[in-house]
Amino acid sequence: MTNRHAFSPQRVTIKAGETIEWKNTSSMTHTVTDDPSRARRAMDAQRPQGVQPFDSGRLAPGGTYTYTFKVPGIYRYFCEPHAIDGMVGQVIVTP
Ligand SMILES: [Cu+2]
C-alpha cells in the first residue's frame, strides 16, 4: 500500500494454503478487503464460491494484515476508500 493509492505488486500468484502479508508503507489509512458489500464497483470484489470475504479494517501507516488463501481461484480485492482511484489488486491461487 503506497502513497500513490496502489497495491504493489498489484497481482500475485501463490499456492493454496499460502499467506500474504500486506504492509501499509504509506502515510495514510488503507484497507484490504474483497467484501462485495463494501465495494462500490462489483468487479472489484471476487473470490471463489463458498469462501467468506476478508476485510482488514482500517490499517494505519505501518500497519499490516495477513490472510491465508486456502481455496484455489481468483481473488480480486480493493482498498475501501481508494478503490475508486484504482487501488485494487488480484491474487491468483493455484492448487
Ligand atoms: Cu487506500
Side-chain angles (χ1 to χ4, degrees), residues 14-20 67-72 75 93-95:
I14 61 172
K15 283 193 189 307
E18 291 188 319
T19 298
I20 290 181
Y67 179 80
T68 301
F69 292 81
K70 294 179 182 145
V71 179
Y75 296 73
V93 180
T94 60

Side-chain angles (χ1 to χ4, degrees), residues 6-62:
F7 293 106
S8 177
Q10 204 216 351
R11 180 193 292 198
V12 291
T13 300
I14 61 172
K15 283 193 189 307
E18 291 188 319
T19 298
I20 290 181
E21 180 184 78
W22 287 265
K23 181 163 192 193
N24 185 357
T25 59
S26 79
S27 56
M28 62 194 76
T29 297
H30 295 291
T31 77
V32 184
T33 181
D34 68 353
D35 186 343
S37 72
R38 295 180 176 277
R40 279 185 264 185
R41 298 179 301 192
M43 65 182 193
D44 291 338
Q46 183 183 340
R47 83 219 65 74
Q49 225 171 13
V51 175
Q52 288 291 107
F54 62 80
D55 180 26
S56 67
R58 294 164 62 87
L59 290 177

